[in-house]
Amino acid sequence: MKLLKVDSVEETKRKIDHYFEGIYLEEEYIDIAEALDRIAAEDLYAQLEVPEFSRATVDGYAITAKDSYGASESLPTFLQIIGKVEMGETAAHKVTPGKAIYVPTGGMLPQGADAMVMIEYVESLDDETIAVYKAVAPGEGVIQKGEDIQKGEQILSKGRRLKPQDIGMLAAVGIYQIKVFRKPRVFVISTGDELVHPKEEIKPGQIRDINTYTLSAMALNGGAVLAGQVIVKDDFLRLQDIVKNAIAKSDVVVISGGSSVGAKDVTAQVIDSLGEPGVFIHGVAVKPGKPTIIGRVDRTAVFGLPGHPVSAMVIYKVFVDYILQKLQQFNEVQEIVIQGICDANIHASPGKETYQMVQLEKRDDKYIVKPIYGKSGAISLMAEAHGYIKIHGNQEGIHKGEKVEVILL
């Protein structure tokens, strides 16, 4: 077992970057219908223009803008109707001075036209004549060919999490398959002689397993798939066998409990026994979650999280999410942050990055941030929280009335 050495959060992330340099998930092609929330594995460029033809953005008449100059309610311009454009069809006629063609919204703009006058500003005098009561400028009511997306324009960056609008854009440029990173596989293990399944009756001294379900839900919420989940008693050989099996079938193994330095805390020894480079972090200057373990066996990340639910969830968000994003080359800001005014003084532990759970209350046009206090073993602390404040190790704390940033859970 390596000696316990407490690293800062930033030092820990730098070590993760070092030990997992060049380790990424495999790539696969999928249909865009299945691509929501997947991570793009390549830069994509448009191979055509959007729109592929100039078209109307309003319902009305295609004209030459000059024909409408000076038109008003009291002095309309009179134009001859020479046809109409059907949706999904090419315009059959050309617009010339003094002429107009009816075009529905989205229809192809006829050749010779450079503007659309909305039907609300047109009066039909007979089957062949309209009166135009409003002047329009060139380009008004029209989206030109290639105005939305130019051919050769980059439309997606590698490492982007695909949103509904991204998928719509891919469809617009004729891309129906996209290369993405395979979903990361996470295996969740909870350790402890005292743990029992939630459906079981508990005896004095036993507790229902919380972390297996909480951490598994966090993995699924982050876009991972579960490679497995299991409860293991405090037994070195049994835990070693389970972790070895988990490493073989997953990208990240998360073990809650057994990360401290007590007689039954064997997580670090188990990780070191299974291969190189083994444990490279044992102890992080963070509250809650100081006795955190991070290691690597072959290409698999192995985390030893504190057994207390709040500590386990905080460390998962700070470090497990970090490695999951790194494996997929995710390059966007993931955190959603709200600014508010702190409602009370908050003490921080010197030299440790402190994560304080808070609730948000909307008053008038601003958010009031209320700290929630409780011990790290209380799952209700997380259930009641809307988010948390991150207090850096060089800060003594936060004063009542101070502006803070709340990272939403």
Side-chain angles (χ1 to χ4, degrees), residues 309-325:
V310 174
S311 300
M313 291 182 72
V314 167
I315 296 303
Y316 189 102
K317 286 193 69 66
V318 176
F319 296 120
V320 181
D321 274 347
Y322 182 79
I323 190 66
L324 290 173
Q325 292 165 15

Side-chain angles (χ1 to χ4, degrees), residues 25-31 34 38-42 177-183:
L25 300 180
E26 297 89 350
E27 302 162 354
E28 61 183 359
Y29 279 96
I30 61 171
D31 192 280
E34 303 168 348
R38 299 296 294 272
I39 309 300
E42 62 181 341
Q177 282 194 324
I178 181 173
K179 185 162 67 173
V180 297
F181 288 102
R182 172 178 57 77
K183 285 188 175 185

Side-chain angles (χ1 to χ4, degrees), residues 91-395:
H93 302 284
K94 179 180 179 179
V95 172
T96 56
K99 311 296 183 182
I101 295 177
Y102 173 76
V103 184
T105 302
M108 185 175 184
L109 191 72
Q111 187 179 355
D114 63 0
M116 289 286 299
V117 59
M118 292 175 64
I119 200 165
E120 289 89 336
Y121 302 111
V122 172
E123 180 183 1
S124 179
L125 302 181
D126 55 44
D127 290 344
E128 295 184 354
T129 310
I130 57 171
V132 177
Y133 293 98
K134 182 179 181 294
V136 293
E140 191 168 337
V142 173
I143 182 168
Q144 301 289 347
K145 178 181 179 180
E147 185 177 330
D148 190 3
I149 301 172
Q150 288 286 318
K151 184 177 181 179
E153 179 181 342
Q154 184 170 344
I155 55 174
L156 275 183
S157 297
K158 183 177 182 178
R160 179 177 175 85
R161 188 183 299 279
L162 295 167
K163 303 178 179 67
Q165 56 267 38
D166 298 324
I167 294 168
M169 183 165 58
L170 293 173
V173 298
I175 295 175
Y176 58 92
Q177 282 194 324
I178 181 173
K179 185 162 67 173
V180 297
F181 288 102
R182 172 178 57 77
K183 285 188 175 185
R185 301 165 300 189
V186 176
F187 200 111
V188 178
I189 302 169
S190 290
T191 67
D193 293 334
E194 74 280 12
L195 297 179
V196 297
H197 191 280
K199 70 180 180 181
E200 297 179 23
E201 291 293 327
I202 61 173
K203 301 174 183 177
Q206 293 181 326
I207 59 173
R208 292 187 178 88
D209 176 27
I210 295 173
N211 287 350
T212 297
Y213 300 95
T214 306
L215 298 173
S216 295
M218 293 180 76
L220 294 171
N221 191 52
V225 294
L226 285 178
Q229 51 182 192
V230 65
I231 302 173
V232 185
K233 299 297 183 183
D234 290 319
D235 178 88
F236 180 91
L237 292 178
R238 177 59 176 156
L239 180 59
Q240 185 185 52
D241 185 58
I242 292 291
V243 175
K244 182 179 180 180
N245 176 63
I247 288 170
K249 60 175 63 174
S250 56
D251 306 296
V252 175
V253 177
V254 179
I255 309 165
S256 71
S259 66
S260 193
V261 291
K264 290 189 175 183
D265 296 320
V266 296
T267 298
Q269 296 98 303
V270 166
I271 296 170
D272 277 338
S273 74
L274 292 172
E276 295 294 333
V279 173
F280 58 85
I281 292 287
H282 193 176
V284 181
V286 63
K287 180 183 179 182
K290 178 182 176 181
T292 294
I293 296 169
I294 307 175
R296 198 192 94 202
V297 178
D298 295 327
R299 295 173 60 88
T300 300
V302 187
F303 288 84
L305 308 188
H308 289 154
V310 174
S311 300
M313 291 182 72
V314 167
I315 296 303
Y316 189 102
K317 286 193 69 66
V318 176
F319 296 120
V320 181
D321 274 347
Y322 182 79
I323 190 66
L324 290 173
Q325 292 165 15
K326 181 175 179 59
L327 291 173
Q328 301 173 88
Q329 299 188 49
F330 183 69
N331 62 11
E332 299 177 327
V333 175
Q334 181 76 351
E335 295 175 341
I336 301 175
V337 176
I338 286 181
Q339 292 190 333
I341 305 297
C342 197
D343 195 41
N345 294 330
I346 301 177
H347 172 72
S349 298
K352 293 182 181 180
E353 189 159 289
T354 301
Y355 294 83
Q356 174 63 53
M357 300 303 132
V358 298
Q359 288 181 324
L360 292 168
E361 180 182 315
K362 190 75 177 287
R363 293 183 193 168
D364 299 325
D365 59 345
K366 58 188 175 184
Y367 284 100
I368 303 302
V369 181
K370 297 182 172 183
I372 307 172
Y373 294 106
K375 296 183 178 180
S376 58
I379 187 63
S380 61
L381 184 63
M382 293 297 281
E384 294 171 3
H386 296 133
Y388 60 88
I389 298 170
K390 181 165 61 176
I391 307 173
H392 296 285
N394 57 359
Q395 291 179 262

